[in-house]
Structure formats: C-alpha cells, structure tokens
Amino acid sequence: MKKIIKVPNIGDLSEVEVIELMVKIGDTIKIDQSLLVVESEKVSMEIPSSHNGVVREIKVKVGDKISKDSQILILEEKENTINIQSPPEELNNFSKINSLPLSLEDSINIHASPSVRKFAREMGVDLKKITLRTGPKNRILKEDVKNYILKNKKISSENMKKKECLFSDFSKFGNIEFQPLSHITKISGQNLYRTWTTIPHVTQFDEADVTELEKFRKNSNNISESDTKLTILSFIIKSVVYILKKYPKFNSSLDSSGENLILKKYYHIGFAVDTKYGLMVPVIKNADQKTITQISQEIINLSKKARKNMLNLSNIQGSTFTISSLGGIGGTAFTPIINSPEVAILGVSKIVLKPVWDNTKFIPRMMLPLSLSYDHRVIDGAMSANFSKSLSNILSDIRKIIL
Ligand code: CAO
C-alpha cells in the first residue's frame, strides 16, 4: 500500500527550505528516521518519517520551499508492517542553528544531526572523511568530529578563519568597522593557537626580591659613560641562562615522535617585542657568552629593528627559551604561551614595592613578579617550582652568578 508522507506542523514557520535529503529511492526506512533537513532564517530541523516502508518516489529536491502538508515522498508500506507510532503532528524540538546545504550525495550517505553538521562545517571538516562513526546506525556524533580534528591538527587554523566568517555579521546589532589583521599578527595568531591547543601548559607564579639589583642597576646607569642603558631585562636574561644550565630540560625541545628530548647546548634567548606590526620575538644568540652590557645593547638594537619591521631571518630563528616582559607596562602576573618548539617561557611583570616580613619586622622590598609557563609533558611542577625559586634567588643577589 502506498503512503504519501507530508510535512507535519512546523510550528510558527510558514515556509522552510529543503537543504538536505537524507534518503533516496529504494531505501527502506523506519518511523522517526530523518528524511530531510529543512531550514528557515533562524532554525534548521530534520523531518522524520511517520511511517515504515520503502521509498518509491521523492517529491522534493534541495532548494525547494515547503510548508505544512507539502508532499515529501511516497512510501510503499510493507505488508505486515504495523506502524505502532502515530505520525508526528508537530515538530517542536527545533535545533536552533544555522545550517548550510551539503551536496545531495553527501546528504544521503552521511548520517549526522544538523547540529553536528553545523559544527563540522564551522570546523572545516568534511563529514565524508570521518570514518570513525560511533553513533547508532553509524551516525556521526559531535565527539567523532572532535576526535577527527584532534587527529588532523592541520585543520585547526582553517577552522578559525571559517568560524570567524560565520560569526561576522555583527552589523545587525550596531555599527562596526573592519580592521584587517597584520600579516605578522595572522601568522603569530596561528602559531599561538596551535601551541595553545597542542601543548599542555601550566604556569608557575613566583616573585624575586630585586631591591639590591635595582640599586645596582640604577647606580650603574648613573655612573656609566656608555650610552647603553641597562634595563632589568638584560639582568633577567643573564640570570635565566645561568639557571637554564642547571635545569637543562628547560632548554630543550621534544622531537617529532614526542618520545625524545633534544637538549640544546647553546643558549639563544628570544624576547617578545611589542610593535605596531604585531608581536615579534628577536633572539639574542649565545647569551651565556655575552656581558650584561652587550645583552642590553642587543635588546636595544633588536627591538629598534623589530619596531621598524626590519628583522631578518637570522634575528628571529633558533631561540631555545623565550622571555616576555610586560614589566615596562604593568600588571601583576600573566600566563605566557610557550614559543613552540621550546618547552618553557618566562613572563615578567612590573616590579612592585611590597612590605616583606624579615622575621622581626616588615621591610619595604622591590618584588619582581615571575610567571613561568611550561610544557607539562616535559617539565613537572616540582621542577618548575625549583627553577623559579633558583631564578628568584639569583635575581635577589646577582653576585651568586660569579661564584
Ligand atoms: N618592572 C618595572 N619597571 C620595568 C620593568 C619591570 N619589570 N621592566 C622594565 N621596566 C621599566 C624600565 O626600567 C624602563 O623604565 P625607565 O625608562 O624609567 O628606565 C621602562 O620600564 C621601559 O622599559 P623598556 O620597555 O624600554 O625596556 P625593557 O628592556 O624592559 O623591554 C622590550 C624591552 C623590547 C621587551 C619592551 O620594550 C617590550 O616591547 N615589551 C613588551 C613585550 C610584549 O609585548 N610581551 C607580550 C608578549 S605576549 O603578547
């Protein structure tokens, strides 16, 4: 017996567009099996079958506009098939999403809910490529899409772009202005995103008493005949190198298998520079072999070059550990993102004058906040706490370096 399957009551919507067909002629379908996906301006929804049977004729195609009681398809009901459920009169559980059409072939062969399809589209994932489908009757679940993304990391940067496009219609809420990202910001954004999503970051916070160091630095600047101004960053670089030699894992990278550490016997320190073109990280090569004055001079030269966008490849390559100093600006602490393939980065915030207990009384001390982010696959919490404590020790009395 033939049965015409019609569009049930679709709530307030008078007309919706067919965006996906999920069955083809000859398919045997069951009650509640999704037949097609329709979409209005605000919602998309799957329309289920009200009967069991074999699809003999399809009355709609992708792009058609349909409404309540429009014919969807003709089913041949199998003999001795009893429809135990009454036809769905009304579809209330609309998934409030915006979907975009897939090709007819995809629609038929791939079983996934509109929300999963939408998620996959936003992430730039082709559902056809997902072979691990863990839902009932081989349906693709959101988890399957996520697992696919995790295993195919290349997709990630494209995803970001696609997601941005989908969310770009802010003009309906008020005035907006488009500002293209600079080339450098785009590239560093992709790297930061990849690093943040692939490396398990932990940040260890600490502080160093730099009262004596600051006295020494300011005094040196006052009496020096050189034009080179010493900022605290050069002392921090020198101290970091000293500590890196004691904790070699911080000066390493994981190899591509993720099973071996590559310990580097050279000390090239990157430092983040804020420029109008975006964030740049020039590198002070062989910092262990340079004096604090030489390091200061290089900071000045390289940051000037960065601000004129004139750094060359050798200025930015080969760093083994990076420092990001926001101390000249402010803030108490932050979580810097590792400059991959390195395994740790030191964030430095603004020195603050604090009352510190010396076992008898509070004394005013200049405290430098340190934020050490590390790759937890390589470095554990105890090691990072020891690294920060040792660094803090050296900064509190830099003379220890020459012992
Ligand atoms: N606490 C207090 N004052 C500090 C300080 C700190 N931790 N660090 C620097 N200062 C002071 C300096 O002593 C200097 O003061 P004076 O002019 O009175 O001597 C002033 O702040 C400016 O220093 P500077 O920024 O010129 O020099 P620097 O060596 O400290 O830093 C550089 C150089 C290139 C790192 C810095 O200019 C810069 O670009 N910082 C931003 C880095 C950044 O954006 N990081 C974020 C990365 S993640 O997005």
Side-chain angles (χ1 to χ4, degrees):
M1 203 179 87
K2 290 202 171 159
K3 175 82 193 167
I4 299 173
I5 307 295
K6 294 181 183 172
V7 176
N9 188 347
I10 47 176
D12 297 339
L13 304 169
S14 53
E15 201 178 53
V16 286
E17 184 177 343
V18 178
I19 61 161
E20 293 176 26
L21 286 175
M22 301 173 81
V23 291
K24 60 183 186 306
I25 291 171
D27 280 358
T28 301
I29 56 170
K30 294 200 172 137
I31 284 184
D32 278 340
Q33 180 174 336
S34 296
L35 302 175
L36 44 83
V37 182
V38 293
E39 184 190 54
S40 75
E41 261 181 22
K42 290 188 183 138
V43 299
S44 72
M45 71 193 107
E46 290 180 7
I47 300 212
S49 176
S50 51
H51 288 72
N52 297 321
V54 179
V55 179
R56 290 296 174 218
E57 200 180 333
I58 296 179
K59 297 277 193 185
V60 289
K61 57 183 188 311
V62 172
D64 281 358
K65 298 270 195 305
I66 55 175
S67 51
K68 182 174 179 278
D69 289 332
S70 298
Q71 296 190 358
I72 300 175
L73 49 81
I74 297 178
L75 273 189
E76 188 171 331
E77 288 188 288
K78 285 186 180 164
E79 276 173 31
N80 67 29
T81 298
I82 304 163
N83 291 317
I84 45 169
Q85 262 177 280
S86 58
E89 281 303 316
E90 190 158 357
L91 293 173
N92 282 324
N93 296 325
F94 300 158
S95 44
K96 298 223 165 188
I97 58 166
N98 297 308
S99 285
L100 298 170
L102 284 180
S103 72
L104 178 59
E105 194 191 29
D106 292 346
S107 309
I108 291 169
N109 295 330
I110 294 163
H111 298 291
S113 72
S115 61
V116 171
R117 286 170 188 273
K118 178 194 175 245
F119 177 64
R121 273 191 289 270
E122 280 177 16
M123 292 297 159
V125 174
D126 181 353
L127 285 176
K128 272 185 292 182
K129 292 194 176 150
I130 299 181
T131 47
L132 194 62
R133 303 169 179 191
T134 58
K137 294 182 195 150
N138 231 12
R139 273 184 107 72
I140 299 174
L141 304 181
K142 198 167 185 178
E143 281 311 307
D144 300 331
V145 182
K146 283 185 190 164
N147 285 336
Y148 179 84
I149 291 169
L150 283 177
K151 285 187 193 138
N152 297 271
K153 285 164 195 149
K154 270 190 203 155
I155 293 168
S156 308
S157 57
E158 287 165 32
N159 295 345
M160 289 214 327
K161 283 181 213 153
K162 290 193 171 145
K163 219 165 174 183
E164 279 157 20
C165 292
L166 281 169
F167 289 108
S168 62
D169 189 16
F170 296 108
S171 60
K172 60 185 174 199
F173 305 113
N175 285 338
I176 57 164
E177 181 195 321
F178 273 99
Q179 196 177 73
L181 294 179
S182 72
H183 181 62
I184 289 168
T185 305
K186 278 193 275 190
I187 292 174
S188 59
Q190 284 168 10
N191 289 338
L192 289 167
Y193 178 79
R194 198 193 57 243
T195 307
W196 184 249
T197 51
T198 56
I199 297 181
H201 280 70
V202 180
T203 306
Q204 168 77 18
F205 300 104
D206 209 331
E207 55 186 6
D209 183 339
V210 291
T211 316
E212 301 308 323
L213 178 59
E214 276 298 86
K215 262 189 222 159
F216 174 66
R217 184 183 72 84
K218 282 179 184 158
N219 199 30
S220 307
N221 277 337
N222 287 340
I223 59 171
S224 166
E225 285 166 11
S226 147
D227 288 342
T228 307
K229 190 178 100 179
L230 305 179
T231 62
I232 193 155
L233 183 58
S234 46
F235 291 88
I236 297 171
I237 291 177
K238 197 70 193 169
S239 308
V240 160
V241 167
Y242 180 78
I243 302 299
L244 284 174
K245 289 190 174 177
K246 296 200 176 308
Y247 296 90
K249 277 191 177 176
F250 285 79
N251 203 49
S252 75
S253 289
L254 270 173
D255 75 355
S256 52
S257 72
E259 290 177 5
N260 304 294
L261 269 188
I262 303 165
L263 299 164
K264 297 160 199 167
K265 308 290 180 185
Y266 50 89
Y267 300 88
H268 297 348
I269 308 299
F271 63 103
V273 181
D274 181 32
T275 78
K276 65 178 177 187
Y277 306 99
L279 183 68
M280 298 192 199
V281 186
V283 182
I284 297 180
K285 302 265 168 64
N286 301 312
D288 57 323
Q289 295 162 30
K290 291 177 177 158
T291 64
I292 287 173
T293 311
Q294 285 169 329
I295 292 173
S296 282
Q297 191 55 59
E298 267 199 58
I299 293 173
I300 293 167
N301 294 345
L302 287 169
S303 53
K304 265 189 198 156
K305 251 178 131 177
R307 291 193 169 108
K308 289 183 190 157
N309 200 9
M310 285 173 64
L311 291 172
N312 57 41
L313 213 53
S314 90
N315 293 144
I316 56 170
Q317 279 184 332
S319 61
T320 57
F321 184 94
T322 295
I323 299 177
S324 175
S325 171
L326 292 173
I329 304 170
T332 52
F334 62 106
T335 51
I337 298 180
I338 295 164
N339 189 14
S340 165
E342 294 159 30
V343 294
I345 180 169
L346 179 72
V348 178
S349 299
K350 193 175 176 68
I351 296 169
V352 61
L353 193 63
K354 269 189 179 176
V356 175
W357 186 249
D358 76 346
N359 289 328
T360 51
K361 60 187 177 313
F362 281 106
I363 47 168
R365 305 298 290 176
M366 300 186 84
M367 304 303 288
L368 175 75
L370 305 171
S371 309
L372 177 72
S373 291
Y374 57 91
D375 183 338
H376 211 346
R377 295 171 302 176
V378 177
I379 293 159
D380 61 34
M383 201 190 295
S384 84
N386 277 318
F387 183 99
S388 320
K389 196 177 79 179
S390 305
L391 179 60
S392 163
N393 253 324
I394 290 296
L395 287 168
S396 66
D397 188 352
I398 198 124
R399 291 173 305 178
K400 287 176 189 158
I401 285 186
I402 52 171
L403 289 178

